[in-house]
Amino acid sequence: SLVPSVLPGAVVLAEPLTVGLVGVGRQGRAILTELATMEGVKVVAVCDSDETRLSSARSRVAGAEGFSHVGAMLEGVKGLA
C-alpha cells in the first residue's frame, strides 16, 4: 500500500501502481530508491535526456523501459501513474 497499514484509512491496491519517472539524476536516483521500498508500487519506465543517467537508472530497475523523451514514454507505456 502507499500508506502504512497502521494508519486508519490505509489504501490497499488490488494491482501495483505503475510509475514512470522523469529525470533520473541525483534526486531521481533517490526517488527510485524510495519507490523500490514501497509495497504495491512498480517502476515500469524511466526517462532522461542524458544517456548515461538513463542507462544507470535502467540497470537499477529490472524490466523498466527507458526513454529519452517524456512524450515517447507517455505514448509508449499505458497506465502510468
Side-chain angles (χ1 to χ4, degrees):
S1 75
L2 295 177
V3 179
S5 60
V6 296
L7 296 176
V11 176
V12 177
L13 301 174
E15 296 181 20
L17 181 67
T18 56
V19 175
L21 183 63
V22 178
V24 289
R26 184 184 322 176
Q27 188 64 42
R29 287 190 308 271
I31 292 169
L32 281 177
T33 300
E34 281 300 311
L35 290 172
T37 68
M38 295 181 178
E39 187 177 323
V41 175
K42 181 176 182 182
V43 177
V44 297
V46 290
C47 178
D48 202 294
S49 59
D50 183 281
E51 185 59 40
T52 302
R53 290 191 304 237
L54 181 59
S55 177
S56 175
R58 289 190 68 208
S59 69
R60 289 171 163 259
V61 183
E65 291 185 65
F67 297 89
S68 59
H69 298 282
V70 68
M73 182 180 79
L74 294 173
E75 287 181 15
V77 182
K78 301 301 177 203
L80 289 178

